[in-house]
Amino acid sequence: MTTPVTHVLIVGGGTAGWLTAGILAATHAGKDAFGQSLKVTVIESDGIAPIGVGEGTWPSMRSTLMRIGITETELVREASATFKQASKFVDWHRNGKQTSYYHPFSAPQGSAQLDITPYWLMQTDASQYAQMVCFQPALCEAGLAPRSLPNVKPAVAVNYGYHLDAGKFIALLKRHCVEKLGVIHLQDQVTEVITSPEEGISALATAHHGTQSAQLYVDCTGFHARLIEQSLSVPLKDYSHVLLADTALVTQQPYDSPHDAISCVTQSSAQEAGWIWDIGLQARRGVGYVYCSQFHESDKAEQHLRTYLARTGNTQPEQLRTIRFKTGHRQQFWHKNCVAIGLSSGFLEPLEASSLMLIEQSALLLADQLPAVTEVLPQAAARFNRALSDKWAATIEFLKLHYVLSNRQEPFWQHNRHADTALSALTDKLEEWRYRPIQSQDVLPGADLFSAQSFRYIYYGMQAKTDMRYCQRQFNHHSFAQQQFHLNEALVIQHQRQLPSHRALLDAIIASTLTQP
Amino acid sequence: MNPSQFVPLDAEMHRHLGVIEDAGFSHSERTGLVSIGLHELFDVASCMPVVLIDDNASAGVLSAMLGFNAEQNLFCQHGQWLGHAVPVHLRSHPFALGVNNGQLALLVDVNSSGVAESGGIRLFASDGSLMPYSKQVKGLLEDLMLGYRQAQRFVERLSHLGLLAPLTISVHYTDGNTQRIDGCHSINEQVFMRLSSDQLLALHQEGYLMAINAMMLSLRQFNRLVQLSKTSPFSVASVDLQVLTP
């Protein structure tokens, strides 16, 4: 006698709740042999406002949205989406004239055949890494869009993600889930969570919809973690000793004119006790200062943010919103019949836009591996926990990398390089990379969320050194590498001619009367 | 036709300007000769005769002949372009490159009928940046400038090797008239045949060997001009070519 999984109940409706609902419903759109579809319900209380600051995506979001059935045109028109080509880190490492570097989404020229990084290292002139090996930073500097105007043939496109207005994105997801994917939306409060030792969650009591139950519950209640923590007592593993920031001061700054150029990078500008993010949407920019309150009084932090805003625009917001957070993640993400996705599963500072990406990864794995019967829930849970554990660990290590390579001298930054806050696996790798370039084998399978190439962009962007004198004997493909450097230069020129400005592409997509994806 | 007025393209003044594309290149109706860049030689030479037009300042200007006189374009008839190649100079209409404030700038002929105050292909985006169309035309013209310089060097090289000879074209019209065209040069095939293997190797390595062959083969395109003339007011029966070898 088996118990089929026919109903998944998602509690909470922000980006986590609605992305999970969409991915589950789209993946399980068919019917089983008994004519049953998967029922997906989202219970959302409108008394709890979503956090609304998760605004950068990875390129993976494009395939995720395609899977859900939302087109790019809808995203641009309804979620005020703009295009993201890279992250730009300003003042994280300063050395004479080189004070910033790019982490673009595109790989270096020729990377499918060979990594040309060792050959860049062997050149005597100290040129900027990302610019030399990849054409994308030049496109970002020139304010160009990552693809050609609609209906242009041949179409040109480079790798990109999005910047999103979180509130509008949620509204778009919700509408699509309810109208197109058959997701049931209950606008209601969960008044009581009924638990049982064998199942985990046995039912939810609601204010207006009686008792709701399902075979699987997804906790998307944000920091409250109503199910996974408050009801099932799964604790958070604290990582605040590794990544020190604990507060975000957030705001928006409108453009001076509706035709202002829009940046296609997420800019991260290092500050005295943290860093300021700056994301360009269509009508406004989202700006926030992520910092450690131990190193700053809150009014000092506000001063820093307002100074930044004065440099970048002509308006000052009246109020700034403060969000306190705990850096860390659940010890187990999937406990019995409850899976935590989104802020309930943990939080890391948004340095590499990992928040939406981890939601995607969680929801995709859940949807693909959704147990057909409750009898195998434990197996699915065990695999999910292992996989997500590895992904969170990989993300923490990658974020820490940015901090240990900085050469800033303020106390916050010095503390970030202190042995007490170190990750030994990362320290070991950094030691090896002094004597040879980063290789793909340095990233273990399962922990490959961030590729070796991402590590290279940060390591060499931060001007960390690799001594090539001994290892140069294994790098003998000099003419291939030179070809790639020249090809890269030529591609920059070619793309500069073919691509419209970021604003021009957005104007064209919004104005287009054709329903193009 | 209005006289041309080329002005530097300006994001403020020309924000709403658009280009009306003309697939028949009818603005070139009365253009019988177009100078070409070396980079477009193969493309052009497969469609129209390429000769060197005599010029006091140099050994000759690499040019495509579009008709039997300087104001006859047989490829442009009844609003259609009757060839597969279009010289870049014609494709870049109504734009040009010029120097503005010491910098190379894209110029537009504001008096051209191919330019409209509204509609057409926009030149600027709402943020004042150049649209890809404008950037591509600018690129085309920059490449052409380079191409002209390469053509000059090519012609000088031919001249040094004694590879140039005057070309006389005799055009026999169906109405019985004959026209004699002088003032151009082509390749002296006899001198070419007598080049040493060292000289041939050098030309090959410079990329000039194929260009020389292309020029010689392109003389066959006079047959094309004869064919095209049949649908024009001045039908040609036949053409004789004479390369004067001293």
Side-chain angles (χ1 to χ4, degrees), chain A residues 281-438:
Chain A
L281 297 174
Q282 290 173 25
R284 63 167 174 88
R285 286 164 33 239
V287 182
Y289 182 16
V290 174
Y291 68 94
C292 179
S293 58
Q294 276 176 46
F295 292 89
H296 253 356
E297 298 292 319
S298 62
D299 52 352
K300 188 98 183 284
E302 179 165 339
Q303 244 176 54
H304 278 290
L305 185 55
R306 288 193 182 278
T307 305
Y308 179 88
L309 291 169
R311 259 191 9 240
T312 59
N314 289 321
T315 55
Q316 284 281 347
E318 284 179 17
Q319 280 230 313
L320 305 172
R321 190 155 63 106
T322 302
I323 302 167
R324 297 295 311 252
F325 58 82
K326 277 198 280 244
T327 295
H329 64 77
R330 285 297 142 204
Q331 224 158 62
Q332 282 179 304
F333 304 94
W334 187 330
H335 182 70
K336 301 225 160 67
N337 65 354
C338 177
V339 187
I341 296 182
L343 293 172
S344 60
S345 67
F347 183 79
L348 299 174
E349 58 188 86
L351 191 56
E352 288 278 1
S354 51
S355 152
L356 280 174
M357 177 275 296
L358 285 166
I359 292 172
E360 282 177 81
Q361 292 281 317
S362 308
L364 289 167
L365 189 58
L366 175 65
D368 287 342
Q369 295 240 304
L370 191 72
V373 297
T374 58
E375 281 67 22
V376 291
L377 265 170
Q379 287 89 325
R383 180 171 304 109
F384 187 94
N385 283 327
R386 263 197 313 275
L388 266 302
S389 219
D390 285 348
K391 292 182 207 290
W392 278 85
T395 309
I396 291 168
E397 185 185 77
F398 191 68
L399 297 189
K400 187 66 181 172
L401 178 70
H402 297 65
Y403 284 102
V404 298
L405 295 176
S406 167
N407 65 349
R408 290 182 74 110
Q409 295 302 318
E410 298 101 326
F412 167 80
W413 295 91
Q414 293 208 17
H415 203 71
N416 260 297
R417 297 192 289 273
H418 198 272
D420 289 349
T421 69
L423 289 171
S424 60
L426 180 60
T427 309
D428 286 347
K429 285 199 280 258
L430 288 168
E431 197 50 32
E432 278 190 273
W433 294 338
R434 289 173 61 191
Y435 300 103
R436 65 149 173 82
I438 298 170

Side-chain angles (χ1 to χ4, degrees), chain A residues 56-250:
Chain A
T57 85
W58 283 28
S60 58
M61 183 59 82
R62 290 156 62 195
S63 55
T64 299
L65 290 176
M66 227 184 302
R67 198 156 142 162
I68 295 177
I70 290 177
T71 67
E72 184 170 274
T73 304
E74 283 176 290
L75 197 69
V76 168
R77 287 189 185 158
E78 295 183 48
S80 194
T82 60
F83 295 92
K84 172 175 172 167
Q85 296 198 52
S87 293
K88 183 178 184 184
F89 296 95
V90 178
D91 291 338
W92 280 74
H93 185 101
R94 287 179 295 207
N95 181 5
K97 277 195 263 172
Q98 288 191 23
T99 58
S100 69
Y101 68 93
Y102 279 92
H103 175 191
F105 282 138
S106 296
Q109 209 50 46
S111 63
Q113 290 158 273
L114 188 75
D115 174 39
I116 58 174
T117 307
Y119 303 91
W120 170 79
L121 283 164
M122 289 191 274
Q123 295 188 331
T124 46
D125 60 340
S127 53
Q128 295 252 40
Y129 174 62
Q131 271 90 322
M132 262 297 280
V133 302
C134 178
F135 59 81
Q136 201 158 30
L139 305 185
C140 295
E141 287 284 299
L144 297 174
R147 63 173 185 77
S148 31
L149 295 168
N151 306 316
V152 162
K153 288 181 180 44
V156 172
V158 305
N159 205 13
Y160 64 87
Y162 303 109
H163 287 134
L164 302 169
D165 179 319
K168 292 185 182 174
F169 183 48
I170 292 165
L172 169 62
L173 285 168
K174 184 188 311 194
R175 181 179 66 68
H176 185 82
C177 281
V178 169
E179 289 176 16
K180 303 268 168 62
L181 298 176
V183 172
I184 296 167
H185 177 213
L186 298 180
Q187 192 95 43
D188 205 344
Q189 295 252 23
V190 170
T191 53
E192 198 193 336
V193 178
I194 303 144
T195 60
S196 82
E198 319 81 42
E199 290 171 290
I201 313 272
S202 27
L204 305 174
T206 66
H208 308 293
H209 293 87
T211 307
Q212 295 284 324
S213 67
Q215 291 79 42
L216 189 70
Y217 298 81
V218 187
D219 185 341
C220 294
T221 61
F223 286 144
H224 298 288
R226 184 85 186 272
L227 305 183
I228 195 91
E229 185 178 294
Q230 288 182 26
S231 310
L232 298 179
S233 308
V234 176
L236 264 184
K237 253 173 102 164
D238 178 31
Y239 279 93
S240 58
H241 56 286
V242 175
L243 293 169
L244 309 181
D246 60 7
T247 313
L249 195 56
V250 314

Side-chain angles (χ1 to χ4, degrees), chain A residues 143-144 149 258-262 495-504 507, chain B residues 15 124-136 138-140 142-143:
Chain A
L144 297 174
L149 295 168
H259 301 303
D260 273 359
I262 306 178
H495 281 131
Q496 280 175 334
R497 283 188 191 179
Q498 292 172 308
L499 293 171
S501 71
H502 193 186
R503 180 65 82 176
D507 286 347
Chain B
R15 181 65 62 106
F124 287 101
S126 66
D127 63 355
S129 63
L130 284 173
M131 290 291 259
Y133 181 86
S134 315
K135 291 195 280 189
Q136 274 155 356
K138 185 160 187 236
L140 215 61
E142 284 166 354
D143 291 346

